[in-house]
């Protein structure tokens, strides 16, 4: 944090303000300094809370590290202060402190897994939705369950 401090831009958002729209591309890493942020995702037409971010938490890493769009909307739940770090500034800090790349990679991998679980839990299960691969195959080919003798 200290090595980034000189290159950070301080931004403030009022309660309820949308900081990032779902599917937006971000070119900066954002660190929550004060307040609480909601990460909300639209699943099957319904906006649901995926997680909350508190001081010290990051967002925007997907756009900065992978050039990918944000999978969820980020909204201020309280008055929020965030520090914004541009890609170039982040790159120079990573060159000075290579372990930062690993830390951000782990964070991103964990987020992607949490998002996958969130989406799975918010899908409306179909009647008798198959779970195992064998179940899916039986379901797809309309094969009855084998009798165990």
């Amino acid at each position: 944090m200290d090595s980034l401090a000189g290159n950070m831009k301080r931004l403030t958002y009022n309660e309820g303000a949308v900081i990032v729209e779902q599917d937006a591309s971000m070119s900066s890493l954002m660190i929550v300094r004060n307040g609480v942020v909601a990460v909300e995702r639209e699943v099957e037409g319904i906006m649901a809370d995926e997680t909350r971010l508190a001081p010290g938490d990051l967002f925007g890493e997907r756009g900065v590290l992978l050039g990918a769009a944000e999978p969820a909307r980020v909204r201020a739940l309280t008055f929020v202060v965030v520090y914004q770090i541009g890609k170039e500034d982040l790159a120079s800090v990573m060159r000075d402190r290579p372990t930062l790349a690993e830390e951000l990679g782990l964070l991103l991998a964990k987020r992607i897994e949490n998002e996958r679980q969130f989406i799975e839990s918010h899908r409306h299960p179909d009647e008798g939705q198959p779970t195992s691969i064998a179940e899916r195959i039986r379901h797809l080919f309309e094969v009855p369950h084998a009798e165990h003798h």
Side-chain angles (χ1 to χ4, degrees):
M1 279 294 274
D2 294 337
S3 51
L4 292 171
N7 301 318
M8 294 194 286
K9 184 176 172 188
R10 185 177 181 272
L11 302 170
T12 59
Y13 297 90
N14 289 323
E15 181 184 337
V18 173
I19 301 169
V20 183
E21 287 289 355
Q22 187 167 327
D23 299 324
S25 290
M26 293 187 70
S27 56
S28 299
L29 188 66
M30 311 287 256
I31 301 172
V32 180
R33 176 72 181 93
N34 292 98
V36 181
V37 168
V39 178
E40 305 164 324
R41 182 193 292 257
E42 192 175 320
V43 181
E44 296 182 358
I46 298 162
M47 193 61 82
D49 259 21
E50 186 171 303
T51 190
R52 301 275 165 98
L53 302 179
D57 288 334
L58 310 173
F59 61 95
E61 71 284 342
R62 189 174 314 241
V64 174
L65 303 174
L66 303 178
E70 284 303 302
R73 178 172 79 176
V74 180
R75 190 171 59 85
L77 286 182
T78 63
F79 176 76
V80 171
V81 177
V82 295
Y83 287 141
Q84 181 181 40
I85 304 147
K87 200 171 192 168
E88 291 309 308
D89 294 324
L90 187 62
S92 68
V93 172
M94 272 200 241
R95 284 191 286 272
D96 294 341
R97 195 176 149 232
T99 56
L100 184 60
E102 269 75 54
E103 291 164 19
L104 290 173
L106 286 171
L107 172 77
L108 188 52
K110 190 176 168 192
R111 286 251 167 101
I112 290 168
E113 176 56 22
N114 289 345
E115 287 159 8
R116 189 192 63 74
Q117 289 176 4
F118 173 82
I119 290 169
E120 289 300 311
S121 72
H122 281 75
R123 287 226 163 94
H124 297 295
D126 300 321
E127 269 50 75
Q129 188 177 28
T131 48
S132 71
I133 292 173
E135 273 292 311
R136 288 180 194 178
I137 294 167
R138 280 196 292 271
H139 183 79
L140 185 66
F141 290 93
E142 297 176 2
V143 177
H145 282 272
E147 295 295 318
H148 294 288
H149 297 292

